[in-house]
């Protein structure tokens, strides 16, 4: 169950921060509505990495639509060639 607290709980911020753990953010409400999330740094880093990955995938998708897709056989051949040279 997620930890949902009013923002006024920050008066005892050490207690609020003690509730934050990997995979267990604390959500703060203001006037009864969700307003803030306090995340463990590992969770934040994971979210930032996912955001970067999805942005790069979007660039690739747009490139494929605008410039044409590379056939799967060509991709397999290129990577097979790189693996063969790495040995």
């Amino acid at each position: 169950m997620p930890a949902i607290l009013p923002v006024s709980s920050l008066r005892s911020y050490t207690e609020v921060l003690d509730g934050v753990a990997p995979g267990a953010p604390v959500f703060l409400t203001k006037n009864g509505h969700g307003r803030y999330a306090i995340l463990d740094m590992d969770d934040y880093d994971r979210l930032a990495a996912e955001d970067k990955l999805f942005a790069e995938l979007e660039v690739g998708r747009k490139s494929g639509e605008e410039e044409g897709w590379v056939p799967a056989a060509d991709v397999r051949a290129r990577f097979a060639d790189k693996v063969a040279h790495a040995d």
Side-chain angles (χ1 to χ4, degrees):
M1 168 134 304
I4 302 172
L5 305 169
V7 75
S8 61
S9 297
L10 287 177
R11 289 184 192 118
S12 303
Y13 66 89
T14 54
E15 291 177 24
V16 173
L17 295 180
D18 285 343
V20 177
V26 171
F27 301 100
L28 300 175
T29 63
K30 189 170 184 180
N31 298 323
H33 299 282
R35 182 75 175 147
Y36 305 102
I38 302 175
L39 302 173
D40 177 81
M41 198 63 189
D42 289 337
D43 288 344
Y44 174 80
D45 289 341
R46 182 182 50 78
L47 288 172
E50 287 175 0
D51 187 51
K52 184 176 179 180
L53 172 63
F54 286 127
E56 289 296 321
L57 289 171
E58 181 63 13
V59 168
R61 185 192 63 77
K62 284 182 180 178
S63 172
E65 288 179 354
E66 293 170 3
E67 299 173 27
W69 298 97
V70 176
D74 292 352
V75 173
R76 285 188 198 97
R78 180 173 179 177
F79 282 105
D81 187 46
K82 287 187 180 235
V83 170
H85 288 0
D87 296 333

